[in-house]
Amino acid sequence: MKKEDLVHHVATVKGLRRLRDETPDPADRAEEFHEASKFHRATFGRMVHHQRLSVDPDVAAGARLGARTLSHLPQRPLDRDDFEAASRDPRFASLVRAPSCRTFTGEALPPQVLSRLLGLSYGAYPQKAATGRRRRPLPSGGALYPLEIYVVGDVDGSGNKGAYHYNVLDHALEEVQRGLPAEAVRGLGIQQDLLENAALIVIITAVFNRSRFKYGPRGYRFCLMEAGSLIQQLQLVAQALGLGSVAFAGLLDDAVEDLLRIDGVDESFVNAVLVGRTSVDAKLGEGASGAQTT
Ligand SMILES: Cc1cc2nc3c(=O)[nH]c(=O)nc-3n(C[C@H](O)[C@H](O)[C@H](O)COP(=O)(O)O)c2cc1C
């Protein structure tokens, strides 16, 4: 990112805080960092550096392996045959994540599937009598659950897409906007055919202060970790429901903020997961290897 873009983003955060007469903690740079990490249509090309793979052999080698070997240290082998056999064992089948899917049929999901996907991924289970606390499918630092879920899709089989907030406490969808034209959905990001054909764009946002009030800048780190955990949970639940999915960072932050009517500072987009029926068996991983990624 160019220096002037960074300065612009930082100014955006500070400007919003000033407008609200709020003074951010100068030792807490999380908001500025988050702002600087956003994809905007104008700056996207400068933020993703595909070309480094072709010009830097070290970068290319590291990207190919995606793992480190500490060859100077003594090595203790683990039982590879057993691990591979376990990955084929039906007891573990629901835990072995299928390859990402990028070939969606465009078909809407029935209400029961939608309800299960959201509930099993991020819902609140019936309260435990002993503690009075709701059980959630994910761990969360301090049980503060700073993440929110929104979905973009046709949730009532009407043929119209809308944007909805998932209300965890009531297990219900709250209508943010209805009747979204296809262009509005495509315009949310890059890989626009994928965005249009997915039954659901599941958008994960963070209400940072729900964790930061207690943990300060580390609370920002918790938000990102918890989003990773939620992505995984959404993908595993989608798979158990016979659906394909792909974690998806390629949304433009400003477009998402406008759509969801969030301010991008107190609550901001973190990542998305695209979910839908796939024209091929998700387990075969069609569309996974060599597919376009951010
Ligand atoms: C944070 C994150 C962001 C991602 N963003 C995109 C994306 O924008 N577009 C895409 O096609 N895949 C995206 N992916 C999917 C990865 O490309 C994919 O998980 C990776 O290539 C491994 O392949 P597999 O999931 O098929 O095993 C993303 C994955 C993660 C974890």
Side-chain angles (χ1 to χ4, degrees), residues 11-184:
T12 312
V13 176
K14 288 200 173 138
L16 190 63
R17 289 267 169 250
R18 246 198 319 274
L19 269 176
R20 295 176 178 168
D21 227 3
E22 296 164 342
T23 320
D25 174 358
D28 182 345
R29 314 304 293 269
E31 280 183 358
E32 292 174 17
F33 172 78
H34 189 80
E35 191 66 25
S37 75
K38 289 182 177 181
F39 283 164
H40 296 275
R41 198 171 292 285
T43 56
F44 176 74
R46 291 204 290 273
M47 291 190 69
V48 180
H49 305 284
H50 289 292
Q51 73 283 6
R52 284 199 190 147
L53 278 175
S54 47
V55 297
D56 187 330
D58 287 343
V59 170
R64 236 185 343 267
L65 286 176
R68 169 171 285 171
T69 299
L70 303 179
S71 47
H72 58 291
L73 298 179
Q75 199 180 66
R76 293 173 62 89
L78 300 170
D79 189 342
R80 177 185 284 277
D81 290 344
D82 176 72
F83 148 64
E84 290 181 356
S87 74
R88 294 185 295 272
D89 183 327
R91 282 176 302 163
F92 299 113
S94 63
L95 301 173
V96 180
R97 189 182 60 90
S100 298
C101 168
R102 298 182 182 83
T103 51
F104 298 109
T105 60
E107 200 185 335
L109 302 179
Q112 186 193 47
V113 172
L114 177 63
S115 165
R116 288 182 174 183
L117 177 73
L118 296 176
L120 293 170
S121 297
Y122 202 53
Y125 297 147
Q127 294 189 2
K128 271 192 184 168
T131 64
R133 289 186 82 161
R134 288 164 188 267
R135 293 280 311 137
R136 303 286 291 270
L138 308 179
S140 174
L144 294 167
Y145 296 95
L147 305 180
E148 296 290 328
I149 285 186
Y150 295 79
V151 294
V152 173
D154 171 6
V155 300
D156 53 12
S158 65
N160 291 312
K161 290 193 176 178
Y164 303 83
H165 170 246
Y166 174 46
N167 178 326
V168 171
L169 300 179
D170 295 340
H171 189 61
L173 290 177
E174 295 161 336
E175 189 181 298
V176 182
Q177 285 196 53
R178 272 186 81 184
L180 291 178
E183 272 319 303

Side-chain angles (χ1 to χ4, degrees), residues 39 97-102 190-191 194 228 231 235 245-251 270-272 274 285 287-294:
F39 283 164
R97 189 182 60 90
S100 298
C101 168
R102 298 182 182 83
I190 55 165
Q191 295 175 276
L194 198 49
I231 290 169
Q235 290 207 275
S245 71
V246 58
F248 196 81
L251 295 184
V270 179
N271 211 72
L274 309 187
S289 56
Q292 186 192 2
T293 64
T294 47

